[in-house]
Amino acid sequence: MRKKGRKAFWHNIKFKYKLTIINENTLEEVVGIHVSKLNGLSVLLFACTVIFIIAASIIAFTPLRNYLPGYMNSEVREMVVSNALRADSLRLALERQNRYIMNIQDIFSGKIEVDTVQSIDSLTNIRAEQLMERTKEEEEFRQKYEQKERYNLREIDNSNAAAGLIFFKPVNGVMEVNFDPEKKHYGIDILTSKNENVVSVLDGTVVMATYTVNDGYVIQVQHSQNFISIYKNCGSLMKEPGDKVKGGDVIALVGKGGGSHKEPYLHFELWRRGTPINPGNYIVF
């Protein structure tokens, strides 16, 4: 039964049909073609193969391949990125030009006084800020935050600047007068013994070593991260300006007491960017 079924199948596939074209007026046969299902299938597969080869050749050997994922070459990719950056630059230039024109219009209309105009760049920046209007919620949040952090910004900045630094105690002794900038006392007074060693609190360079009438011998050291340490009321100095010192190196000796102090003491100050800092925040006395 299987053999008969196969023979019937192949007989059906190979069976040829005659396709005839006849002239309607004379009933004369013009064209006659003998076609089987197998021939038709073969012709169809051949046509599909030819079309596939032609399409693949067009895609492989023409710029159309760059539109397929993963087939974009480096030159085209570089060109696309360059064009994108150029378009972004043109957009920014266009926005800047629009602000420029608006500024010129404001000058001509009298909204901006000529005497107050310093440069067109400053006006452009002002215009950019005006175009970005703040919402009511943003303005309220900004005011609350600025009010809350008004007195903490400087302290936070100094704490971050001292990250990773290890401060040495400038002298052995007992702190008598604390840091009090409101009374113009920009350092601390440490009671100690005469001729006690005064050491540098950090690595740095001596930038001043001199004698003053009010503070005796004074030595000043410049450290990294914009810190400056000042040591006053010294009896003698061990370093000169320009000397490199390490943290813990002896730079002076404590002198005798003076002013309201009857015992020998050291007046120590710590500054950063022109602002006095409480040494107690970084050194344990």
Side-chain angles (χ1 to χ4, degrees), residues 166-186:
I166 300 177
F167 289 81
F168 286 83
K169 189 176 180 179
V171 70
N172 292 324
V174 179
M175 183 173 61
E176 181 184 25
V177 182
N178 203 345
F179 177 78
D180 191 358
E182 294 182 356
K183 296 182 179 180
K184 296 185 178 181
H185 192 265
Y186 301 117

Side-chain angles (χ1 to χ4, degrees), residues 56-237:
S57 300
I58 293 174
I59 293 175
F61 299 102
T62 62
L64 290 176
R65 66 179 181 273
N66 294 322
Y67 291 96
L68 298 178
Y71 282 90
M72 183 178 295
N73 56 32
S74 58
E75 296 179 359
V76 177
R77 186 180 293 108
E78 182 179 357
M79 186 181 300
V80 171
V81 174
S82 177
N83 291 336
L85 295 176
R86 186 176 303 173
D88 185 67
S89 300
L90 291 175
R91 181 183 61 82
L92 295 177
L94 182 60
E95 292 179 358
R96 189 176 183 87
Q97 188 69 20
N98 291 334
R99 299 192 196 110
Y100 179 88
I101 295 173
M102 295 171 67
N103 293 329
I104 296 298
Q105 292 176 348
D106 290 343
I107 293 174
F108 285 138
S109 62
K111 294 181 180 180
I112 299 179
E113 298 180 2
V114 179
D115 294 339
T116 63
V117 178
Q118 298 180 355
S119 65
I120 198 65
D121 292 336
S122 61
L123 286 177
T124 302
N125 294 333
I126 294 173
R127 175 67 65 182
E129 293 180 357
Q130 291 177 351
L131 293 177
M132 298 175 58
E133 298 181 357
R134 300 176 183 174
T135 62
K136 183 179 179 180
E137 293 76 9
E138 181 184 0
E139 188 66 28
E140 293 178 355
F141 175 79
R142 186 187 294 271
Q143 292 178 358
K144 291 180 181 179
Y145 182 82
E146 291 178 353
Q147 184 68 24
K148 180 179 179 181
E149 301 295 331
R150 177 179 297 178
Y151 304 103
N152 296 334
L153 294 177
R154 180 175 296 173
E155 188 66 23
I156 293 174
D157 181 66
N158 293 331
S159 300
N160 294 335
L165 298 180
I166 300 177
F167 289 81
F168 286 83
K169 189 176 180 179
V171 70
N172 292 324
V174 179
M175 183 173 61
E176 181 184 25
V177 182
N178 203 345
F179 177 78
D180 191 358
E182 294 182 356
K183 296 182 179 180
K184 296 185 178 181
H185 192 265
Y186 301 117
I188 60 174
D189 294 342
I190 305 174
L191 295 179
T192 182
S193 58
K194 187 178 180 180
N195 295 329
E196 183 70 23
N197 291 335
V198 178
V199 302
S200 175
V201 294
L202 291 171
D203 298 352
T205 303
V206 178
V207 294
M208 186 184 73
T210 186
Y211 178 82
T212 62
V213 176
N214 296 328
D215 300 320
Y217 285 99
V218 179
I219 185 169
Q220 179 176 318
V221 182
Q222 175 70 58
H223 309 287
S224 61
Q225 302 186 24
N226 298 313
F227 282 99
I228 295 178
S229 58
I230 303 176
Y231 313 80
K232 297 181 179 180
N233 200 50
C234 298
S236 59
L237 303 178

